Amino acid sequence: MYSTNYHRASSVADAVKLLKKADDGKFVSGGMTLIPAMKTRLAAPSDLVDLRHVPELKGVKISGKTVTIGAATTHAEVAANAKLASVCPAICNLAAHIGDPHVRHMGTIGGSVANNDPAADYPAALLALGATIVTNKREIAADKFFTGLFETALKDDEVITAVTFTAPAKCGYAKFPNPASRYAMTGVFVAKAKDGVRVAVTGAGEDGVFRSKEIEAALSKKFDASALEGVSVSAGTLMSDIHANAEYRANLVVVMAKRAVASANG
Amino acid sequence: MVETAARELGVSPAELRRKNFIREFPYQTPVIMAYDAGDYETSLEAAMKEADYAGFEKRREKAKKQGKLRGIGMSCYIEACGIAPSAAVGSLGAGVGLWESAEVRVNAVGTIEVLTGSHSHGQGHETTFSQIVADRFGVPIDSVSIVHGDTDKVQMGMGTYGSRSGAVGMSAVVKALDKVEAKAKKIAAHLMEADEGDIVIENGELKVAGTDKSVPWFQLALAAYTAHNLPDGMEPGLKEGAFYDPTNFTFPAGCYICEVEVDPDTGETEIVQFVAADDFGNIINPMIVEGQVHGGIAQGIGQALLEGAHYDPASGQLLTASYMDYTMPRADDLPSFKVSTSNTPCPGNPLGIKGCGEAGAIGSPPAVINAITNAIGNNDLAMPATAQKVWSALKAATKH
Ligand SMILES: Cc1cc2nc3c(=O)[nH]c(=O)nc-3n(C[C@H](O)[C@H](O)[C@H](O)COP(=O)(O)OP(=O)(O)OC[C@H]3O[C@@H](n4cnc5c(N)ncnc54)[C@H](O)[C@@H]3O)c2cc1C
């Protein structure tokens, strides 16, 4: 790791100011992605602006079915939030299976979403839930936010402040973890809301998280694992890497979708 | 190979192994090794009993109802440990001799330091080597200290590998202890005006057998160093060194049985039972032996299921350079192990030890792979048997 200047921001405005002053600054939240990248010198920011202690970025708010999760909320805090579990247990379950306890106690939803790792869990949830990503400048629909591998609609000095969504009638998540990292080798989030069924797949797409039209179509007819018997997805745009090839991932998408639906239906 | 042969012949894999066991010793193999002693059937029986081998079909049926493919696999292994006779490795082209060295220093207050060329990096030599010294002289175990790994202090030695610390390193210690004991008895006989042959060592005392005469160990040590009253011509002090060069390898053997459940949808393998029955000869410390076997099995399961190194074919760059990509076995990848030992003493060394360091890692991979191939009905499966490989092999098997 190269040396870097550390700043602890006291507010979102302060964070933006600190970043603008820096030569080549970066926001840091849990540091679970950025710090390893700095250790291997894939990233070498001159300054780190820490968002994790900004009070306005922390905590989960629930009013009726509307859920708002502050960007600096850790995975462990999401996993353990009983009120959230009562309206949307799938998101708590998802957070509870991110990485390992160390990662869950440091890593944050804002960092995960901003990073948009193609194998991260939250992007699947936010896309399937039709969530909105709230920044210091605007509100961005998940459909528009995740633009490719590690790519998002965020501008350099834009801070994610929260994510917000309406808890659907039913939703569920199933992932096949990469045995080494425990990221999703394939993860599927299914949600059945008033406006229909949305299914998002992570860990499998060549371009990161995506919605599966085949599975959405099948589940729109009947929101049950049996509706997916015989359904297959094309391996054409799926990822092949040392852990799994596209054909195997195509199989996992359907298997995980079945399991996600089964868990959504309880 | 044995498993495949059994499957193709339609005979029980256990029976095929039993039929081929060597039962007469010593047994000269065509490739240098001469097996000195062994009882392979006892390990096989113990493992099959512990695994309830006979009840497997019922368990398979039950798993099938839950949508899982259950398989059982065994492996009977024999390995060459306690390496090795120096002349033998010399004839194979080695640049060193594979003896081991030891020095036993009894201090003037009776505490004992053992300097060994066998390094301990977690194998527990501090415990096991101390045990044999404390046992020999009846002194408290905490009066013995083991010194290893410090080349400023320790004489030339050969090290720890090939399950040799017990069979070779401890044998050197035993040889040095023999010399210390002989000298101590000479001094004791002189002090108590008795015959050297009548001196026995019991509970930390040197006694004249059949009398109430005795000298405590620490007093004997002091006498050796004050040198006020030693036998004529004897050097003061109580410190001896020895080298031990084995006359043969040792041959630990055993039978491992693994039972798995494969998820046909994903190819994921869960190890639902793991049994290890080893014959390590005499055992100095059962808990340490069990720990060695546990560690070995974990490594073996890692090799069988998880650990694979990948390089980028274009650049030669290692792609699995961190634990984010290279899968080390973790606690939740492993079942509880059922381990047991039988003890056919090794005739080749003074303690009858065969060695246990590598057994777990040797016996487990074939047992795991045999169990998976049994579950999926396809013998063609390369390690590590990742979920994808098992899924593909299963698909290939069901296409036929
Ligand atoms: C061993 C290990 C296992 C993991 N397993 C999983 C897993 O199973 N599933 C999974 O989903 N993830 C996994 N992760 C990643 C983990 O969830 C990270 O916490 C997450 O990807 C990044 O969050 P962070 O808070 O640590 O962000 P940081 O590392 O601090 O930042 C990541 C990036 O986001 C930017 N950023 C951070 N916060 C904001 C913000 N509020 N606004 C704008 N930009 C911001 C930073 O500038 C940086 O570029 C794992 C990580 C590790 C180390």
Side-chain angles (χ1 to χ4, degrees):
Chain A
M1 181 160 28
Y2 294 109
S3 67
T4 186
N5 302 306
Y6 172 85
H7 312 271
R8 181 176 284 192
S10 56
S11 66
V12 171
D14 183 36
V16 173
K17 209 165 72 195
L18 286 164
L19 192 81
K20 278 191 174 145
K21 264 202 291 187
D23 212 12
D24 178 20
K26 254 193 163 316
F27 296 126
V28 65
S29 190
M32 292 294 95
T33 296
L34 185 52
I35 303 294
M38 289 170 67
K39 281 193 192 163
T40 52
R41 299 182 175 179
L42 291 170
S46 64
D47 296 72
L48 286 181
V49 178
D50 192 348
L51 302 173
R52 226 161 41 99
H53 305 276
V54 175
E56 63 203 275
L57 295 181
K58 294 198 69 86
V60 179
K61 280 188 221 87
I62 295 161
S63 95
K65 291 276 175 195
T66 305
V67 176
T68 306
I69 304 175
T73 310
T74 64
H75 309 330
E77 285 161 351
V78 171
N81 192 300
K83 253 177 102 184
L84 180 56
S86 68
V87 294
C88 189
I91 194 113
C92 302
N93 178 43
L94 173 150
H97 289 91
I98 292 177
D100 53 48
H102 307 71
V103 169
R104 293 197 286 275
H105 280 88
M106 289 299 289
T108 64
I109 190 167
S112 177
V113 171
N115 193 53
N116 192 19
D117 189 300
D121 296 298
Y122 275 129
L126 301 193
L127 189 57
L129 291 166
T132 301
I133 287 88
V134 185
T135 77
N136 57 334
K137 300 188 167 166
R138 56 189 166 143
E139 297 196 347
I140 312 166
D143 288 304
K144 297 256 159 65
F145 183 85
F146 300 109
T147 53
L149 292 184
F150 299 102
E151 296 286 336
T152 67
L154 282 181
K155 302 273 186 307
D156 277 349
D157 61 346
E158 195 167 8
V159 182
I160 300 177
T161 55
V163 301
T164 177
F165 61 88
T166 305
K170 285 178 174 181
C171 63
Y173 182 61
K175 88 162 160 179
F176 189 92
N178 175 312
S181 71
R182 312 266 156 118
Y183 271 92
M185 201 147 95
T186 289
V188 178
F189 201 103
V190 301
K192 184 182 189 224
K194 275 200 218 85
D195 52 352
V197 173
R198 287 170 67 107
V199 175
V201 178
T202 188
E206 259 175 358
D207 280 324
V209 65
F210 68 94
R211 283 174 66 182
S212 169
K213 300 293 166 203
E214 297 99 321
I215 294 176
E216 284 183 359
L219 291 181
S220 297
K221 286 189 203 123
K222 189 176 174 207
F223 195 74
D224 191 89
S226 63
L228 294 172
E229 280 315 324
V231 171
S232 63
V233 299
S234 157
T237 56
L238 299 187
M239 198 165 25
S240 278
D241 58 21
I242 57 170
H243 301 293
N245 60 28
E247 189 200 0
Y248 180 61
R249 280 194 163 94
N251 169 64
L252 285 183
V253 170
V254 179
V255 175
M256 292 303 123
K258 283 184 192 167
R259 290 180 188 177
V261 178
S263 109
N265 287 334
Chain B
M1 206 155 81
V2 178
E3 195 80 19
T4 305
R7 286 173 196 174
E8 287 185 9
L9 292 169
V11 301
S12 142
E15 278 321 302
L16 188 63
R17 287 179 169 89
R18 202 194 303 272
K19 263 205 177 88
N20 285 283
F21 281 153
I22 293 162
R23 289 190 168 76
E24 274 162 34
F25 298 93
Y27 179 89
Q28 179 62 52
T29 70
V31 281
I32 301 182
M33 303 296 169
Y35 298 158
D36 52 3
D39 177 359
Y40 312 127
E41 195 143 0
T42 295
S43 300
L44 179 78
E45 299 287 344
M48 287 174 70
K49 186 156 174 255
E50 185 62 50
D52 183 21
Y53 198 82
F56 171 71
E57 282 307 326
K58 265 205 192 120
R59 297 194 291 278
R60 191 205 286 268
E61 282 308 310
K62 205 169 142 202
K64 204 171 166 187
K65 286 195 190 109
Q66 286 152 4
K68 295 283 170 72
L69 303 171
R70 196 165 174 123
I72 194 164
M74 69 165 44
S75 83
C76 290
Y77 77 90
I78 178 163
E79 58 166 332
C81 291
I83 57 173
S86 297
V89 296
S91 76
L92 295 171
V96 293
L98 290 183
W99 43 267
E100 192 49 271
S101 70
E103 192 170 302
V104 175
R105 289 184 187 163
V106 182
N107 299 317
V109 292
T111 56
I112 304 169
E113 272 174 323
V114 177
L115 288 77
T116 169
S118 298
H119 185 262
S120 179
H121 30 285
Q123 295 88 351
H125 296 6
E126 294 85 348
T127 303
T128 51
F129 283 43
S130 299
Q131 270 180 262
I132 57 168
V133 178
D135 268 7
R136 175 72 76 103
F137 299 129
V139 297
I141 195 155
D142 57 7
S143 66
V144 183
S145 58
I146 306 298
V147 183
H148 63 81
D150 183 345
T151 50
D152 279 349
K153 290 186 186 153
V154 179
Q155 69 288 346
M156 175 83 171
M158 293 314 299
T160 293
Y161 41 84
S163 301
R164 71 192 299 274
S165 293
V168 186
M170 271 197 204
S171 295
V173 174
V174 168
K175 276 186 75 179
L177 289 175
D178 290 344
K179 294 184 192 174
V180 168
E181 180 178 331
K183 185 170 181 184
K185 280 183 171 169
K186 275 203 177 80
I187 298 171
H190 181 74
L191 292 176
M192 295 185 283
E193 294 172 348
D195 194 78
E196 202 184 312
D198 291 338
I199 305 292
V200 291
I201 303 181
E202 271 173 27
N203 302 326
E205 290 184 329
L206 292 96
K207 295 180 179 165
V208 182
T211 73
D212 58 0
K213 285 198 213 166
S214 68
V215 189
W217 172 257
F218 69 90
Q219 243 172 42
L220 187 285
L222 188 63
Y225 284 93
T226 57
H228 295 162
N229 184 15
L230 292 179
D232 264 356
M234 180 183 273
E235 283 180 20
L238 194 52
K239 164 183 142 174
E240 300 287 349
F243 287 79
Y244 175 77
D245 195 1
T247 52
N248 192 0
F249 293 78
T250 65
F251 299 98
C255 177
Y256 283 34
I257 295 178
C258 174
E259 219 167 300
V260 299
E261 281 187 6
V262 171
D263 179 340
D265 294 335
T266 61
E268 238 180 324
T269 298
E270 186 193 353
I271 297 179
V272 290
Q273 168 161 255
F274 200 97
V275 175
D278 294 289
D279 185 347
F280 294 138
N282 289 336
I283 284 173
I284 305 294
N285 186 310
M287 192 157 90
I288 282 185
V289 166
E290 198 176 322
Q292 291 276 298
V293 175
H294 277 218
I297 297 173
Q299 262 186 289
I301 289 175
Q303 179 182 348
L305 294 181
L306 304 165
E307 297 179 58
H310 294 269
Y311 292 87
D312 178 16
S315 66
Q317 177 75 32
L318 180 63
L319 299 175
T320 42
S322 88
Y323 294 137
M324 292 294 274
D325 291 304
Y326 186 86
T327 315
M328 287 291 278
R330 284 177 268 200
D332 64 348
D333 296 313
L334 308 169
S336 291
F337 308 132
K338 299 179 193 168
V339 307
S340 67
T341 54
S342 55
N343 316 102
T344 313
C346 172
N349 59 57
L351 293 167
I353 292 177
K354 294 183 178 183
C356 67
E358 292 150 325
I362 291 173
S364 49
V368 173
I369 297 298
N370 286 341
I372 301 175
T373 54
N374 175 251
I376 63 176
N378 184 346
N379 291 343
D380 190 11
L381 185 66
M383 295 193 293
T386 60
Q388 175 182 309
K389 280 193 208 156
V390 173
W391 178 77
S392 303
L394 178 61
K395 246 182 35 164
T398 41
K399 259 192 203 137
H400 288 172

